[in-house]
Amino acid sequence: MHIVVEQAGTPDGAPVVLTTVTADGEVVARRDVAARDLPDVVRTEAADVRWTWTDTSLVLPPLLAAGVHVARSHDLRLCHRILREALVTASSRLAHRPRDGWDEPAPLAPPARQDALFDAADLGPAVAPLDPVAELRDQLDAVDSAGDRAGRLRLLLAAESAGALAAAEMTYAGLPWRPDVHDALLADLLGPRPPEGFRPARLEALAEVLRRELDDPSLNPDSPVDVLRSLRRAGLPATSTRSWELKQIDHPAVAPLLEYKKLARLWTANGWHWLDSWVRDGRFRPVYVVGGVVTGRWASDGGGALQLPRQVRDAVRPDPGWRFVVADAAQLEPRILAAVSGDEAMAVAGRAADMYEGIVATGAVETRTHAKYGMLGAMYGGTQGVSGQVLPQLRRAFPAAIGLVERAAEVGERGGQVTTWLGRTSPRPDGAGAAPLREGEERERPADAGSEAARARAFGRFTRNFVVQGTAAEWALCWLALLRERLHALRPGAPLVERPHLVFFLHDEVIVHAPAELADDVAHALRECAAEAGRLLFPASPDDVEFALSVAVVDSYADAKD
């Protein structure tokens, strides 16, 4: 049963309309409630209700502030994007509708006031005229049109919507952050905080070394053009300032240049300006963009949430009396490939805690390095070096798995589209229908590849990986969805920030902020939910592949990583 949340009438005090809709799209009840009463209504409604709204990022923050936990939701805009482009819903009326406001990017800023939760001014001009009940009916019809794939598609929509709940909760709760520790880390690496407009002392010292070694007193090391010109003037065979290329050059300037590049990146991406801009009241609150990457992976809008460098991770520390429980899925994408392809030999390898060692144990390759780079090459289309050398061995050992990604590559090279296990569909080669690029986006750009044949091969590499990376993102969403409810059950009824709660998520890694006495329970829940996510996605063979986790209970994020 869905309860659709919408605004009626004009802004400023207009009631919120709650429309009850069955799974068949039939409207069975409508009622008005005051916006200020919505948290109480949500709190007391039946647990199996699926709250349905236009944008979770707008609706959920005031509910969280009122201490309300939403167990199930349906985010209409996120689900619309999936259904609009899915191959399995291509015959639906939603797929054939002219583009409209539902195709516009979601607004990112949550409303400032609870009583203005559904003001048209907050939702923006593209959102105000939309009819969420009509949209829900079209979405239900689209799912039904998928036939025997409808069940998987329903799971994808539920997981995507649960991801939106988790993202809004993580932004609301924030990642605990110690500004004093961050400042000390920066001072140790860069020197004391410099005046505005000046480089830190360590960078300035390295700049002087570079000017001396390259005999270029006016060199600006922050300008790649200047650096490349100076390197060439010194007679060095540099074609770019990329680190991998610089490491091939034997010259006294190379080491300080590489050090300068590393520290300058820290200063600009996570230096004092970042600290002043993004950390408030001991919390870093990034804005996650659910499904911001075309494969279904998340992106972020500002703050670099998907790129927290090792140099500052020691500043990420739990509150007194609390601990971090950090979990990382081991070799997730190869395990997903084994499950999706049904390759029994690879499934055997996937039962090992280290799947690459499991691949070696099958006799497919001789070393863990061969297994790792061979599998990465198979999934990402690498044909050089170790990847190319061992691919024939992997093809013989795991024909179903390697055959699946190679067929996906062939579809892409012909200009076709592929789908994930649950039904998310890759964009067309011309990019039509693709989600907008966000911070953290890693979308390949085949149009940059040159010849038509090169562009086809590039898109084939994209579709080759899409089926694996996209399904891995679906597993991670199911993991998050299951974990949210398990964490809530550890202290039911408590507000979000007073019970164990998610504070960070990156592809296959999570951080849970937990009271110290519940940390072991959280670690157990993380492992159980990972296994359950595998069974949820692949019910026909629930024990074939194990989704192994590394779990650490720590007092600093830096301690969770090797």
Side-chain angles (χ1 to χ4, degrees), residues 334 337 346 356 359 370-379 394 402:
L337 177 55
M346 186 173 281
Y356 297 134
I359 290 174
H370 286 171
K372 178 178 180 179
Y373 287 100
M375 286 305 304
L376 291 176
M379 293 185 296
L394 294 176
I402 305 304

Side-chain angles (χ1 to χ4, degrees), residues 55-57 60 73 75 77-79 81-82 105-108 156-171 286-301 306 424 435-436 438-439 441 473-474 476-478 480 505 507:
D55 293 296
T56 301
S57 63
L60 196 63
S73 72
D75 188 299
R77 193 181 297 277
L78 289 176
C79 294
R81 189 167 66 196
I82 292 171
L108 292 172
L156 174 57
L157 301 184
E160 189 90 339
S161 298
L165 292 173
E169 288 172 351
M170 284 188 281
T171 299
V287 177
Y288 292 100
V289 182
V290 179
V293 181
V294 293
T295 58
R297 279 186 167 185
W298 292 10
S300 68
D301 256 43
L306 306 184
R424 193 187 301 267
R438 302 282 197 181
E439 180 183 331
E441 173 72 76
E474 292 166 355
L477 284 171
C478 291
L480 284 182
F505 170 62
H507 305 328

Side-chain angles (χ1 to χ4, degrees), residues 146-160:
D148 60 3
R149 294 295 300 270
R152 291 189 188 181
L153 199 54
R154 289 189 187 96
L155 177 56
L156 174 57
L157 301 184
E160 189 90 339

Side-chain angles (χ1 to χ4, degrees), residues 244-279:
W244 66 267
E245 182 177 343
L246 293 173
K247 290 176 181 178
Q248 311 306 312
I249 299 173
D250 183 14
H251 189 275
V254 171
L257 178 55
L258 290 172
E259 180 71 5
Y260 187 95
K261 285 167 61 69
K262 181 177 71 173
L263 294 179
R265 170 64 181 168
L266 172 64
W267 178 44
T268 56
N270 293 96
W272 290 280
H273 179 72
W274 180 92
L275 185 60
D276 292 343
S277 301
W278 285 97
V279 178

Side-chain angles (χ1 to χ4, degrees), residues 175-252:
L175 178 62
W177 202 283
R178 287 278 300 277
D180 58 327
V181 175
H182 190 141
D183 179 75
L185 292 169
L186 293 175
D188 183 59
L189 291 167
L190 301 172
R193 182 171 185 164
E196 190 71 26
F198 289 83
R199 293 188 184 94
R202 176 60 179 155
L203 285 179
E204 190 56 49
L206 286 168
E208 287 302 321
V209 172
L210 289 171
R211 293 172 184 136
R212 182 174 64 252
E213 294 293 346
L214 294 172
D215 193 22
D216 187 352
S218 63
L219 171 65
N220 174 12
D222 297 316
S223 167
V225 173
D226 273 13
V227 171
L228 185 59
R229 185 185 300 118
S230 187
L231 291 170
R232 289 174 172 172
R233 188 183 295 122
L236 302 179
T239 61
S240 74
T241 60
R242 295 185 179 93
S243 295
W244 66 267
E245 182 177 343
L246 293 173
K247 290 176 181 178
Q248 311 306 312
I249 299 173
D250 183 14
H251 189 275

Side-chain angles (χ1 to χ4, degrees), residues 460-547:
R461 289 193 297 273
F462 168 72
T463 52
R464 170 190 292 268
N465 182 245
F466 184 93
V467 295
V468 180
Q469 187 182 111
T471 304
E474 292 166 355
W475 176 91
L477 284 171
C478 291
W479 185 34
L480 284 182
L482 294 165
L483 185 60
R484 283 185 69 249
E485 292 309 302
R486 285 291 297 271
L487 295 178
H488 177 255
L490 290 175
R491 279 192 178 169
L496 177 70
V497 297
E498 295 178 16
R499 56 178 168 81
H501 55 279
L502 287 156
V503 290
F504 182 73
F505 170 62
L506 175 59
H507 305 328
D508 55 9
E509 178 184 354
V510 300
I511 302 177
V512 176
H513 193 217
E517 67 274 15
L518 293 177
D520 289 342
D521 293 329
V522 170
H524 182 67
L526 281 160
R527 292 188 177 95
E528 285 200 336
C529 290
E532 189 175 348
R535 292 191 293 267
L536 191 61
L537 256 70
F538 310 108
S541 52
D543 300 319
D544 281 359
V545 178
E546 294 184 11
F547 292 93

